[in-house]
Amino acid sequence: MTARERREQLLDVGRALFAERGFEATSVEEIAARANVSKPVVYEHFGGKEGMYAVIVDREVERLLSMLTTALAPNRHPKIIVERAALALLDYIESSTDGFRILVRDSPVAQASGTFSSLIGDVATQVEHLLADQFERRDLDPATAPIYAQMLVGMIALTGQWWLEARSPDKRVVAAHLVNLAWNGLGSLQGSPAIRNPR
């Protein structure tokens, strides 16, 4: 195996173990044994499991962010944007289950830029700009767009976490229900909502 092939093999093994057991429960010994190499080979490529974990998380974040960014491309009807964002997340979960499991776990070595919550925050910022534009067109206060962006992205992200284990109904059905709730809710927004019975 070339050094590059060995590195990729180790990343595949590490990715599967981190998804299955979590960061804390995975050891360099276990990674080396499953890859059929000695521990020094793992250290040579990554400096330890922290380095390997960081590379895996960075790759997963980049992949998911790329899929979501493509879905959030402007100049589409807002309902289509919500549809595509929901499907992009569910597509990622389906095609990269191990990667999603790793992203949604808390890890002491995950840097601020490599956590699922920071990724969702990045996506919410993109959604915020799209919503602000739509709010202005509908005579709603664009200053409230960040609130709605967090709610919308959070709703999709939490549903994705649930679907990771449930896997039923089909992702297109789940996406349709997400869009139904989000779109019908957004379509009937009040300009100045208020709590009916304030204490």
Side-chain angles (χ1 to χ4, degrees):
M1 239 184 233
T2 66
R4 183 176 181 165
E5 289 170 337
R6 176 65 72 197
R7 179 180 170 84
E8 291 304 315
Q9 179 217 16
L10 289 169
L11 287 170
D12 288 344
V13 167
R15 186 173 178 265
L17 281 168
F18 290 134
E20 177 187 323
R21 301 174 48 88
F23 176 79
E24 290 298 333
T26 301
S27 67
V28 171
E29 291 83 2
E30 195 173 5
I31 294 166
R34 203 175 275 191
N36 203 24
V37 299
S38 63
K39 282 174 27 180
V41 173
V42 177
Y43 286 109
E44 178 186 323
H45 282 278
F46 303 102
K49 75 174 184 176
E50 293 83 1
M52 175 183 279
Y53 186 87
V55 170
I56 291 167
V57 167
D58 285 348
R59 284 184 173 190
E60 294 302 325
V61 165
E62 186 177 309
R63 181 172 180 211
L64 178 54
L65 190 56
S66 171
M67 292 173 77
L68 290 170
T69 301
T70 300
L72 296 173
N75 302 322
R76 291 185 178 139
H77 189 278
K79 185 176 182 183
I80 300 297
I81 290 171
V82 174
E83 240 172 53
R84 290 191 178 197
L87 274 173
L89 178 63
L90 296 172
D91 284 342
Y92 171 77
I93 293 168
E94 186 175 67
S95 67
S96 188
T97 299
D98 283 352
F100 190 71
R101 283 189 200 285
I102 291 167
L103 289 181
V104 297
R105 285 186 195 213
D106 290 328
S107 167
V109 299
Q111 299 175 359
S113 62
T115 64
F116 186 63
S117 60
S118 69
L119 173 68
I120 293 305
D122 291 346
V123 172
T125 300
Q126 293 182 49
V127 170
E128 176 185 322
H129 297 300
L130 297 170
L131 286 180
D133 180 54
Q134 290 298 317
F135 282 14
E136 283 188 65
R137 291 180 191 185
R138 295 165 194 246
D139 293 326
L140 297 167
D141 183 2
T144 62
I147 300 167
Y148 287 97
Q150 291 292 329
M151 289 187 280
L152 184 60
V153 172
M155 177 179 72
I156 293 171
L158 284 174
T159 303
Q161 286 181 276
W162 165 80
W163 191 74
L164 172 68
E165 302 303 332
R167 294 302 171 108
S168 177
D170 179 78
K171 67 183 175 185
R172 296 188 69 77
V173 173
V174 173
H177 283 285
L178 275 166
V179 173
N180 185 37
L181 176 60
W183 185 252
N184 288 326
L186 288 171
S188 301
L189 283 184
Q190 299 172 340
S192 299
I195 302 296
R196 289 184 187 213
N197 296 315
R199 292 184 184 194

